[in-house]
Amino acid sequence: MHPASRSLTPGSLEQRPVTALKGVGAALAARLEVLGVRQVQDLLFVLPARYEDRTRVVPIGALQAGSRAVVEGEVQLTEVVYRRRRQMLCRIADGSGFLTLRFFYFTAAQQQGLARGTRIRCFGEARRGPLGMEMVHPEYRRVFDTQAPVEDRLTPIYPSTEGVQQGRLRMLIGQALRELDTAGVHEWLPPEILQTLRLPSLRDALEYVHRPPVDAELEVLEAGAHPAQQRLAFEEILTHHLVLRLIRQQVQTDPAWPLPDPGKRAEAFMASLPFELTEAQRRVFDEVDADLQRDRPMVRLVQGDVGCGKTVVAAAAAARAVGSGRQAALMAPTELLADQHFRNLDSWFRPLGITVALLTGSQAARTRRSALEAAASGEVQIVVGTHALFQDEVAFHDLALVIVDEQHRFGVQQRMQLTDKGRSTGRHPHQLIMTATPIPRTLAMTAYADLDVSVIDQLPPGRNPVRTVVAPASRRDEVVARIAAACQAGRQAYWVCPLIEESEELRYQAAEETAQVLAEALPDIRVGLVHGRMPPRKKDEAMLAFKAGHIQLLVATTVIEVGVDVPNATVMVIENAERMGLAQLHQLRGRIGRGAHESSCVLLYQHPLGQLSRARLNTIRDTSDGFEIAQRDLELRGPGELLGTRQTGLARMRVADLSRDSGLLPRVHQAAELMLARYPDRIAPLAARWIGADERYGRVG
Ligand code: ADP
Ligand code: MG
């Protein structure tokens, strides 16, 4: 046997530290650890985010804008110019056409290396620029021989890895794959499951996704539809699902305080509201109410479309905790939402003699300190906050109920952290989780396997449906006129900027530009701006100014999607709507139609609109029911993200996409039953493989 492979037995890669690989010292090991890579096996499970075809050289004249390709040519001219920013332009030609390479960061040596007559091969994304086709910051190298070989496999591109360069990572994964050749990888799925799957073995699947052959179909791979990817996705979804099931089992063995509410504070609260609960609210509250009287912790998800009134149900549950002599905490994903909840709860509870405090990261030290003290002493009964509630310094006197709003923004881990806060009392707090993202049942069974689910499937009476129109971006002027009219009539409007995936930087520039252009077009209207790059305090300032009516037109990136309640806003314009997920569009539109006035939403799209995109936009135009939209979304399978991990409580997935791979779910559920019944001890190694051994989420079991 080869000496290097002597120690490699099946499964040994699970215990072989990466430092056993050539070229991995302590420094690199530390950076790899940040990526969750400790053992050689972990490298194999860093899966490509996409692929590039560098297997052939494309004639420059045949380059398509937007495509990524290898070209080769001779440098004709390299010069440094000043166009807004200092930059280096290098023109290359290959007889079929010419191409400009544009560099914003470059060295003098690099400039010299690109002297006229030099032959280079480069790889990058072709775009149309002011000088014709161009590539910005392509990878390139000098070639001396036109016959120089190109790649013989598709090139995997791994998810962005801070501190470890793609090239380095590719090389390490290459080493791990060679060890895979000799040692194999441990198959934790039992034969009963593998037989029914009819998918490649784990080892073949790994080999394929890391090194797809030249003739692999790029589209199939990009769509995640290759059997090798499906094999991995199955194992990944199964693992996450199993971990959630274990969390649930574990939680149900913990004791909790039953909340009897002898003085009927919850009922008193509901009676004090200026409106009647809808039937759906009442039903869901009764479910929650029954849970809260048990001595096992409730872990319940309340799903309900935007505006259905989840907050009231949560507040009633909090009143029950208070009425039982204990505390409740409500956690929101943003400061703005926390503030909004605090104001609502305070106005509802103050007349009933129930105390509410706010705790956020940006509070003045003194305010914050007194809120902390009040929470610890039990003087305050309900604490509303952001993730600041997680911090170690936050202690509760007697926390019996944790409410998490818009839970798709929080992961399972974070929820567990907050429930740990209640453990000081020796009992596990009840958890109520609220989300406005309706998801179909099979998906809910997978993604929320640790929870009981209630649905509020009815809106309060008297809501005005939002009139939605789909229009080409060329009708922008009419849309601007409509905004002017609405603002003159005393209403307010949102303008949601295009979703630019390339970079945060571009997204933020686009929003600034749009705000400027709109401010010029609408000189009499007060225009404000919020985007994700602003510090939270600035963002909240802008949102509060909008709430107070000081800002009439709010230009925003999609940061406004969650929970914001400004009933006076009646117009929303969404640019490049065709590029957004349906769930997201639905969430965004839920920001209007909240008051007594007619509301309208304009979905602007860029020509040309494909058939699928049109069908998707029409779905939004014709439907206001979130569940129906979610179902259509799943059927139409639009751009990713729709029902991906962002909307569920699951940790990030590497290869699976719950929406795309929904066809696997019934088999996942079956397999999970078998694993729980017959192979429970295999769940921990699967969790270590897919989720990470040290995270609490993965340590269960
Ligand atoms: P969401 O479920 O999206 O969080 P909210 O809890 O913010 O919705 O409720 C939206 C609005 O509807 C709030 O202004 C709330 O006071 C109001 N509301 C809630 N329940 C009812 C009801 N049964 N009748 C009338 N208005 C209600
Ligand atoms: Mg809400």
Side-chain angles (χ1 to χ4, degrees):
M1 199 184 254
H2 194 271
S5 59
R6 195 178 304 139
S7 63
L8 300 180
T9 52
S12 66
L13 304 191
E14 290 182 23
Q15 268 111 47
R16 200 164 139 77
V18 277
T19 45
L21 295 178
K22 239 192 309 182
V24 184
L28 181 55
R31 272 175 284 147
L32 285 168
E33 176 136 10
V34 178
L35 306 176
V37 173
R38 284 177 202 98
Q39 319 298 343
V40 175
Q41 171 184 263
D42 297 335
L43 281 168
L44 297 172
F45 288 86
V46 174
L47 296 170
R50 56 190 177 83
Y51 297 91
E52 283 170 356
D53 185 354
R54 304 185 185 188
T55 61
R56 62 206 166 87
V57 176
V58 175
I60 289 174
L63 271 181
Q64 304 267 357
S67 70
R68 301 174 67 86
V70 182
V71 294
E72 191 174 308
E74 205 175 279
V75 175
Q76 294 187 319
L77 174 72
T78 296
E79 56 178 350
V80 174
V81 299
Y82 291 83
R83 305 242 157 87
R84 273 207 255 181
R85 276 169 74 184
R86 182 168 177 267
Q87 50 194 281
M88 175 170 81
L89 300 179
C90 168
R91 191 165 71 181
I92 64 169
D94 68 352
S96 75
F98 71 88
L99 173 74
T100 302
L101 313 180
R102 192 186 290 274
F103 298 88
F104 296 105
Y105 308 99
F106 53 93
T107 60
Q110 223 176 334
Q111 191 184 346
Q112 278 153 22
L114 290 172
R116 186 180 162 83
T118 311
R119 216 175 160 73
I120 60 168
R121 184 175 283 174
C122 50
F123 178 83
E125 180 177 336
R127 334 175 159 218
R128 237 180 283 286
L131 306 168
M133 237 9 136
E134 64 174 53
M135 286 184 182
V136 179
H137 280 273
E139 289 173 40
Y140 69 91
R141 68 186 167 85
R142 200 165 168 182
V143 286
F144 298 95
D145 168 10
T146 38
Q147 303 303 313
V150 282
E151 304 283 330
D152 63 349
R153 301 260 173 177
L154 294 185
T155 307
I157 306 296
Y158 294 99
S160 63
T161 47
E162 265 158 59
V164 187
Q165 285 174 342
Q166 281 285 327
R168 175 67 74 81
L169 193 60
R170 236 175 258 149
M171 193 192 72
L172 290 173
I173 292 172
Q175 283 192 56
L177 285 166
R178 281 192 291 282
E179 298 207 351
L180 173 70
D181 263 353
T182 38
V185 61
H186 209 301
E187 180 61 84
W188 293 109
L189 301 187
E192 304 94 291
I193 292 177
L194 292 173
Q195 272 152 23
T196 57
L197 266 186
R198 296 167 190 279
L199 289 171
S201 72
L202 179 59
R203 178 185 173 147
D204 290 350
L206 285 170
E207 175 72 33
Y208 192 94
V209 298
H210 286 292
R211 320 189 62 220
V214 186
D215 60 357
E217 282 177 73
L218 202 54
E219 289 100 85
V220 176
L221 280 172
E222 299 279 64
H226 192 275
Q229 290 164 308
Q230 292 285 292
R231 168 64 183 77
L232 296 170
F234 178 85
E235 188 173 309
E236 183 173 37
I237 299 174
L238 175 64
T239 303
H240 281 267
H241 179 68
L242 284 168
V243 168
L244 292 177
R245 295 281 293 263
L246 288 186
I247 289 175
R248 183 190 171 93
Q249 281 182 6
Q250 198 181 50
V251 165
Q252 282 171 344
T253 61
D254 285 333
W257 292 114
L259 303 174
D261 188 18
K264 300 206 178 309
R265 301 296 287 272
E267 290 299 331
F269 160 66
M270 288 186 281
S272 75
L273 290 170
F275 47 74
E276 291 272 312
L277 292 199
T278 61
E279 240 170 77
Q281 282 172 314
R282 186 76 230 185
R283 173 173 42 74
V284 170
F285 177 69
D286 288 344
E287 285 165 7
V288 171
D289 213 30
D291 287 350
L292 293 178
Q293 293 173 57
R294 299 202 185 99
D295 60 359
R296 296 287 154 210
M298 165 178 82
V299 189
R300 185 171 287 279
L301 176 76
V302 173
Q303 282 194 61
D305 218 340
V306 280
C308 73
K310 294 181 290 293
T311 317
V312 178
V313 173
R320 175 169 273 283
V322 172
S324 311
R326 304 186 190 279
Q327 290 172 299
L330 191 166
M331 182 170 64
T334 62
E335 301 229 338
L336 179 80
L337 273 188
D339 189 73
Q340 191 173 286
H341 280 316
F342 168 70
R343 284 161 202 250
N344 277 336
L345 265 55
D346 191 51
S347 74
W348 286 332
F349 284 134
R350 195 178 281 269
L352 302 177
I354 296 176
T355 49
V356 185
L358 178 68
L359 193 70
T360 67
S362 66
Q363 270 170 330
R366 200 148 43 94
T367 323
R368 189 176 154 80
R369 200 165 340 108
S370 80
L372 283 170
E373 280 166 16
S377 69
E379 180 194 325
V380 62
Q381 293 158 307
I382 300 175
V383 183
V384 179
T386 52
H387 47 268
L389 286 177
F390 291 134
Q391 284 156 13
D392 285 342
E393 51 171 343
V394 183
F396 289 88
H397 179 64
D398 192 359
L399 182 63
L401 170 67
V402 171
I403 301 161
V404 181
D405 193 20
E406 303 297 350
Q407 85 88 222
H408 59 272
R409 292 291 168 107
F410 294 105
V412 171
Q413 296 98 317
Q414 285 175 304
R415 253 183 20 237
M416 290 201 298
Q417 271 176 344
L418 190 55
T419 49
D420 279 350
K421 301 247 172 252
R423 288 244 170 80
S424 55
T425 62
R427 305 258 175 156
H428 200 290
H430 299 281
Q431 289 183 57
L432 181 64
I433 298 139
M434 305 191 287
T435 175
T437 308
I439 62 175
R441 216 179 89 82
T442 41
L443 203 55
M445 276 172 63
T446 317
Y448 299 138
D450 58 332
L451 313 169
D452 289 313
V453 178
S454 297
V455 180
I456 303 182
D457 51 5
Q458 187 181 19
L459 292 181
R463 290 283 159 86
N464 282 315
V466 175
R467 212 170 72 85
T468 302
V469 295
V470 176
S474 54
R475 286 178 49 196
R476 208 177 145 114
D477 289 351
E478 284 168 55
V479 174
V480 172
R482 185 187 294 211
I483 288 180
C487 291
Q488 260 135 35
R491 305 283 83 75
Q492 288 164 280
Y494 295 101
W495 187 289
V496 183
C497 288
L499 193 68
I500 298 170
E501 272 118 20
E502 286 83 7
S503 78
E504 189 74 20
E505 178 77 21
L506 284 176
R507 203 169 340 197
Y508 135 87
Q509 276 178 12
E512 288 223 313
E513 267 173 42
T514 307
Q516 236 168 40
V517 169
L518 287 171
E520 279 161 27
L522 298 164
D524 301 332
I525 285 170
R526 297 182 299 275
V527 179
L529 172 68
V530 282
H531 58 70
R533 274 265 303 256
M534 288 162 95
R537 198 144 32 102
K538 284 263 173 234
K539 209 157 50 184
D540 288 351
E541 255 171 48
M543 291 303 307
L544 289 174
F546 185 60
K547 251 187 133 150
H550 302 318
I551 291 174
Q552 294 166 284
L553 169 61
L554 185 69
V555 177
T557 52
T558 51
V559 294
I560 54 159
E561 108 197 45
V562 168
V564 175
D565 190 30
V566 182
N568 192 44
T570 58
V571 180
M572 172 173 285
V573 180
I574 305 178
E575 276 193 280
N576 279 112
E578 78 281 7
R579 292 174 68 176
M580 294 192 195
L582 294 194
Q584 189 173 28
L585 286 171
H586 178 64
Q587 285 289 315
L588 284 168
R589 183 176 55 182
R591 302 304 113 222
I592 54 173
R594 301 186 147 238
H597 301 277
E598 282 273 322
S599 292
S600 60
C601 175
V602 184
L603 305 175
L604 287 180
Y605 63 83
Q606 210 68 47
H607 269 307
L609 192 61
Q611 220 172 13
L612 177 66
S613 303
R614 180 166 294 280
R616 299 173 69 250
L617 292 184
N618 288 350
T619 299
I620 291 286
R621 184 192 58 197
D622 301 337
T623 325
S624 58
D625 177 334
F627 281 90
E628 203 176 317
I629 289 172
Q631 192 55 48
R632 288 283 291 154
D633 202 4
L634 207 55
E635 289 159 18
L636 291 169
R637 306 253 171 109
E641 183 266 312
L642 307 180
L643 297 161
T645 53
R646 219 172 69 90
Q647 271 120 330
T648 69
L650 295 185
R652 275 185 80 78
M653 300 235 213
R654 297 161 186 230
V655 49
D657 173 327
L658 285 176
S659 161
R660 187 189 66 203
D661 303 325
S662 60
L664 294 171
L665 301 183
R667 279 184 290 169
V668 166
H669 297 153
Q670 274 170 11
E673 298 306 330
L674 187 85
M675 295 290 288
L676 286 164
R678 310 254 302 270
Y679 304 97
D681 50 338
R682 295 192 181 189
I683 299 174
L686 279 170
R689 172 181 286 172
W690 287 101
I691 300 167
D694 285 355
E695 308 213 358
R696 207 180 137 193
Y697 186 39
R699 249 198 292 128
V700 181

